[in-house]
Amino acid sequence: MNTKIMTVFVLMVMVLSVNAISMTKDKPQDITTVTSQGIYDGYDMDDGYAFLIREDEKDEDTEATVYFAEVDASVLKMTNLKSKDLMGKRFEITYEVTEYEEIDENGYTEIYESYKIIKLKKL
């Protein structure tokens, strides 16, 4: 009798665990589209394409380097971002910010963002 109860208990735990894992994988990612102006700062193999972007156009202290790991193929066809000639040039950048969660080895949930350029216009 005890083995039957223990078996049912173990099976319930397994089913609930699988259900919880599948629910976290199915959670939709938050994607936001942003358009801003920035100055191209170059390409780095580890970080990607760097742009200096101001959060507030009137305040120079809000300038930050944003790294884009991904660039839409249509943008790369039109603009060679690996060219040194474009460094220091101003662009209007339309990009997607994807927010996603990962659970670390201690069970804590970390929130990360990735950036992808979807449209680029030289100013």
Side-chain angles (χ1 to χ4, degrees):
M1 184 71 167
N2 284 338
T3 57
K4 286 183 181 181
I5 293 173
M6 186 60 95
T7 304
V8 170
F9 177 74
V10 169
L11 288 174
M12 277 187 9
V13 169
M14 287 174 51
V15 168
L16 291 174
S17 297
V18 169
N19 191 25
I21 290 170
S22 67
M23 286 176 55
T24 58
K25 286 185 178 180
D26 292 340
K27 182 180 179 213
Q29 298 174 339
D30 293 330
I31 299 176
T32 307
T33 302
V34 179
T35 300
S36 60
Q37 292 184 6
I39 299 172
Y40 183 60
D41 196 34
Y43 173 76
D44 181 77
M45 285 182 55
D46 295 328
D47 297 323
Y49 303 92
F51 284 85
L52 299 173
I53 297 176
R54 287 188 192 161
E55 290 181 25
D56 182 4
E57 287 295 321
K58 297 175 185 175
D59 187 5
E60 290 183 18
D61 292 334
T62 63
E63 189 171 74
T65 302
V66 178
Y67 294 97
F68 297 92
E70 295 180 66
V71 179
D72 193 77
S74 63
V75 172
L76 290 176
K77 284 182 182 179
M78 294 175 40
T79 309
N80 181 11
L81 286 175
K82 292 184 181 177
S83 170
K84 302 249 186 228
D85 297 337
L86 295 177
M87 289 182 64
K89 304 292 185 200
R90 183 174 278 293
F91 289 89
E92 180 180 88
I93 311 156
T94 302
Y95 58 96
E96 291 178 344
V97 180
T98 304
E99 195 173 276
Y100 59 96
E101 296 178 354
E102 285 186 7
I103 299 174
D104 66 9
E105 63 275 356
N106 297 323
Y108 295 108
T109 302
E110 296 285 332
I111 298 175
Y112 296 98
E113 292 179 335
S114 66
Y115 299 88
K116 178 182 179 180
I117 298 175
I118 56 174
K119 187 176 174 186
L120 192 64
K121 178 180 166 188
K122 191 173 177 183
L123 298 177

